[in-house]
């Protein structure tokens, strides 16, 4: 969410009515999240000036560990230097820390492509935004789950009950510090996650949603603590259930 919001912001800066705007003091402390969107807190160091040049050798974009040769345009300006400077700063301050983590395994190759392409400045801001929107579409639609074995058949569903939320086993990247609370596309994906965790014996799809609209599923090691809830369904591993418990 943070990276996508940042890319949308940089897309606007690259195509602003004032021209391409560069953030000269590009640091994480210069941004804040407001209602799920990243905002710049200080525009004092923003500039529309692009580096003047006479030849391509005048257009090297330098960073502490990397340099990029750019082209000198016919009007004597280094082509795209403001956009590229913003994008590489986004890569080194945000993408490298946030993109490699938390995504479903099937989506990680797409994020690695974005990371590598922005790190080498092979992508401009237009291509980067398009790549992010493709990943978001796959994530929200559940298309990344195609051609996977069915796991929900391994579970018994109990309608009209929910589990008591309390401290249980932890998992990464949980939305709760008390237990294992993860974003899922469906009960089928939740079943696959539960099967992959040795401690998991049951789960419930909660009413809570993430910023993409995906529900949160609570995974637990014991299905014994159940309370009535007309709108809920508990899924219990067949191997963990017994006639006495049910």
């Amino acid at each position: 969410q943070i990276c996508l919001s940042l890319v949308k912001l940089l897309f606007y800066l690259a195509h602003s009515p004032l021209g391409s705007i560069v953030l000269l003091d590009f640091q994480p402390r210069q941004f804040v999240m407001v209602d799920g969107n990243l905002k710049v807190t200080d525009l004092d160091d923003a500039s529309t000036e692009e580096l003047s040049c006479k030849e391509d050798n005048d257009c090297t974009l330098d960073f502490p560990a990397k340099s990029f040769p750019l082209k000198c345009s016919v009007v004597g300006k280094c082509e795209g230097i403001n956009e590229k400077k913003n994008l590489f700063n986004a890569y080194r301050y945000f993408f490298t820390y946030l993109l490699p983590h938390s995504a479903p395994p099937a989506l990680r190759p797409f994020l690695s492509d974005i990371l590598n392409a922005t790190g080498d400045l092979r992508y401009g801001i237009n291509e980067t935004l398009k790549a992010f929107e493709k990943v978001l579409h796959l994530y929200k639609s559940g298309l990344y789950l195609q051609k996977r074995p069915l796991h929900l058949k391994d579970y018994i569903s109990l309608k009209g009950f929910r589990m008591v939320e309390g401290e249980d086993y932890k998992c990464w990247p949980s939305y709760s510090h008390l237990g294992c609370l993860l974003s899922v596309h469906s009960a089928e994906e939740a079943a696959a996650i539960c099967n992959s965790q040795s401690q998991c014996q049951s789960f419930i799809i909660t009413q809570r949603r993430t910023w993409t609209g995906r529900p949160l599923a609570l995974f637990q090691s014991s299905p014994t603590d159940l309370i009535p809830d007309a709108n809920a369904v508990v899924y219990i591993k067949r191997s963990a259930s017994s006639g006495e418990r049910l």
Side-chain angles (χ1 to χ4, degrees), residues 23-205:
L23 302 177
L24 299 175
D25 186 19
F26 197 115
Q27 299 284 341
R29 65 173 178 268
Q30 300 283 23
F31 300 90
V32 64
M33 291 292 285
V34 179
D35 297 328
N37 295 305
L38 208 65
K39 305 285 186 181
V40 182
T41 60
D42 186 1
L43 287 173
D44 289 345
D45 293 312
S47 174
T48 58
E49 291 295 320
E50 292 194 306
L51 186 64
S52 297
C53 57
K54 292 182 178 180
E55 57 183 27
D56 291 350
N57 288 338
D58 298 329
C59 293
T60 300
L61 183 56
D62 289 317
F63 292 95
K66 218 163 188 179
S67 296
F68 300 94
L70 304 181
K71 297 288 186 181
C72 183
S73 71
V74 293
V75 295
K77 298 290 183 180
C78 296
E79 288 185 359
I81 191 168
N82 287 352
E83 172 187 331
K84 292 179 184 299
K85 188 171 185 179
N86 284 341
L87 189 55
F88 190 79
N89 277 327
Y91 159 80
R92 65 181 183 138
Y93 287 120
F94 288 89
F95 298 172
T96 54
Y97 297 105
L98 299 177
L99 287 188
H101 310 292
S102 306
L107 292 179
R108 288 174 192 167
F110 295 97
L111 296 177
S112 293
D113 287 345
I114 294 174
L115 194 63
N116 293 332
T118 53
D120 294 334
L121 286 184
R122 287 185 285 108
Y123 280 1
I125 192 62
N126 294 359
E127 294 86 355
T128 303
L129 179 58
K130 185 177 180 180
F132 266 103
E133 289 179 336
K134 176 182 178 180
V135 175
L136 180 63
H137 172 67
L138 293 173
Y139 186 60
K140 292 174 70 173
S141 65
L143 289 173
Y144 67 94
L145 295 170
Q146 289 182 348
K147 299 180 180 179
R148 300 184 66 178
L150 299 178
H151 295 280
L152 202 55
K153 59 181 174 53
D154 300 330
Y155 291 79
I156 294 172
S157 61
L158 293 179
K159 297 182 179 180
F161 292 92
R162 64 179 172 86
M163 297 181 290
V164 177
E165 293 192 31
E167 190 165 354
D168 207 316
Y169 77 91
K170 312 295 193 299
C171 67
W172 172 262
S174 178
Y175 283 79
S176 169
H177 68 281
L178 295 176
C180 187
L181 186 67
L182 300 174
S183 161
V184 298
H185 178 260
S186 62
E188 180 60 48
E189 183 180 18
I193 293 172
C194 190
N195 278 2
S196 71
Q197 298 173 346
S198 59
Q199 307 100 312
C200 184
Q201 297 297 317
S202 60
F203 67 88
I204 182 173
I205 309 297

